[in-house]
Amino acid sequence: MTSMPGPDPANGGPSVFSSATQALLDSVKRAGFPPIHEQPLAQARRSYSLGVGATALPPLPMARVEDFHIPGPAGQIPARLWAASQAPDMPVFLYLHGGGFVIGGIDTCEAMCTVLAQRSGGAVVAIDYRLAPEHKFPAGLDDSFAALQWLAAQGHTRGLDASRMAVGGDSAGGTLAASTALMARDAGIPLVLQALFYPSVQLGMKTESLMAYSRSTLLSWDLMHWFEKQTQGGAQRERWHREPLHAPSHTGVAPAWIGLAQCDPLTDEGHLYAARLREAGVPVVLREWPGVIHDFINMGRFLPEAAQAHDALGEALKQAWAR
């Protein structure tokens, strides 16, 4: 399936960026920072972390902030838990950060995770899964599923209720979350929700959103290609582990909440995945925020839609845990 190119704001097509988004893009352009994919790996990771720190709102104070480790297939997986209370038997949301499987970490999703913990009334756990190129795909997926399995079996040791468990992530983390949800279904691990912010769910399809926004936003075609090149070479067992759109069946997977940005190369993939899930009888709630770009959830200092998205997901988690 291949779509025709849509309008590209960078090449004279009609712009649909919000005024705040356009101002942010103009500011980034004026700053003249080298693109992530043109930096040495260590600097690229630091640049992304510093960038999120400069654009995201600060983390909220929490009643519980706990650093611990989860046993993984290649050693201990660093994890952090946030909760707004000390209540026992809390529902838990496993969050998987974005960054193309190459950059990002607990620190780059902390601000949003604290908001989700406060809004939902549950605990949020994020992990530092292994990154490429040191650890090729599916290393990050293996860590993600190992963390979910541990929460299901041992979460009670942290005061967590495994009968009310959800998984989610953004961008590459959304990919991991979608695949982890499918693996959880196959393993008989019940989930009340899978929450996906602009996930990458397939490779090679030239969608309209990809053609329209891969040259005019921060998620460029060159950056996406660089990410994918870093991840390749691992012992991937199933195509759908990286491309959950192509799973043999989506029947019986957890209900989905999908949050998208209108001006994002990956927007059409989110719509495609929502359609595939609905075809399989999976309940789906899809929200698309107009005028914003990929990674907008980490830009709360500049884009009010970030807080709107955090609140929407927090409420979705709260409702899922109450059912």
Side-chain angles (χ1 to χ4, degrees):
M1 176 178 177
T2 301
S3 299
M4 293 299 292
D8 187 348
N11 288 318
S15 175
V16 291
F17 297 139
S18 69
S19 58
T21 297
Q22 187 64 65
L24 177 59
L25 290 171
D26 291 343
S27 178
V28 170
K29 186 175 181 179
R30 285 194 302 269
F33 297 121
I36 290 287
H37 62 277
E38 293 181 3
Q39 300 178 34
L41 182 61
Q43 183 59 45
R45 288 172 174 163
R46 177 169 172 77
S47 294
Y48 180 66
S49 180
L50 290 172
V52 171
T55 59
L57 292 168
L60 298 178
M62 291 280 103
R64 289 178 65 185
V65 181
E66 299 170 6
D67 288 313
F68 61 105
H69 288 82
I70 294 173
Q76 298 294 304
I77 305 169
R80 184 172 299 161
L81 179 151
W82 301 271
S85 78
Q86 298 285 349
D89 300 321
M90 300 188 77
V92 59
F93 179 43
L94 174 63
Y95 194 80
L96 307 169
H97 68 82
F101 312 106
V102 177
I103 58 179
I106 290 174
D107 63 319
T108 59
C109 67
E110 180 166 29
M112 186 181 71
C113 287
T114 62
V115 176
L116 295 178
Q118 182 185 74
R119 299 288 190 272
S120 69
V124 179
V125 172
I127 62 169
D128 272 332
Y129 55 82
R130 286 172 291 161
L131 298 175
E134 298 94 334
H135 307 285
K136 303 292 189 180
F137 195 88
L141 177 60
D142 291 343
D143 287 353
S144 300
F145 186 55
L148 188 76
Q149 290 176 301
W150 185 89
L151 288 170
Q154 300 296 327
H156 65 275
T157 63
R158 293 266 162 193
L160 306 176
D161 179 4
S163 71
R164 294 183 293 162
M165 190 162 56
V167 66
D170 63 287
S171 195
T175 308
L176 295 174
S179 296
T180 296
L182 288 161
M183 295 167 75
R185 176 203 61 186
D186 295 345
I189 299 174
L191 297 175
V192 299
L193 192 70
Q194 55 174 318
L196 316 175
F197 275 116
Y198 33 74
S200 167
V201 295
Q202 59 81 39
L203 298 172
M205 187 189 304
K206 291 182 172 62
T207 63
E208 289 186 5
S209 64
L210 175 70
M211 300 304 290
Y213 296 110
S214 59
R215 287 169 289 178
S216 55
T217 66
L218 302 180
L219 185 62
S220 69
W221 174 263
D222 288 340
L223 178 58
M224 287 185 283
H225 179 72
W226 182 77
F227 281 148
E228 205 58 43
K229 185 177 180 181
Q230 307 304 310
T231 68
Q232 293 173 353
Q236 184 169 318
R237 297 173 296 280
E238 300 284 350
R239 177 188 179 188
W240 63 264
H241 286 172
R242 171 59 187 87
E243 300 180 78
L245 182 69
H246 298 299
S249 171
H250 295 82
T251 302
V253 74
W257 183 96
I258 299 176
L260 304 176
Q262 179 188 12
C263 307
D264 180 352
L266 300 183
T267 299
D268 287 349
E269 294 191 25
H271 284 284
L272 287 169
Y273 201 59
R276 184 64 53 85
L277 292 173
R278 286 170 176 147
E279 289 169 2
V282 177
V284 177
V285 172
L286 187 145
R287 292 284 306 274
E288 181 177 316
W289 276 267
V292 294
I293 57 175
H294 191 83
D295 212 25
F296 80 97
I297 60 170
N298 291 321
M299 300 173 182
R301 293 183 192 268
F302 300 91
L303 304 181
E305 291 84 358
Q308 296 168 16
H310 300 171
D311 289 346
L313 177 51
E315 182 61 27
L317 286 166
K318 185 177 182 179
Q319 292 179 9
W321 285 327
R323 286 197 285 268

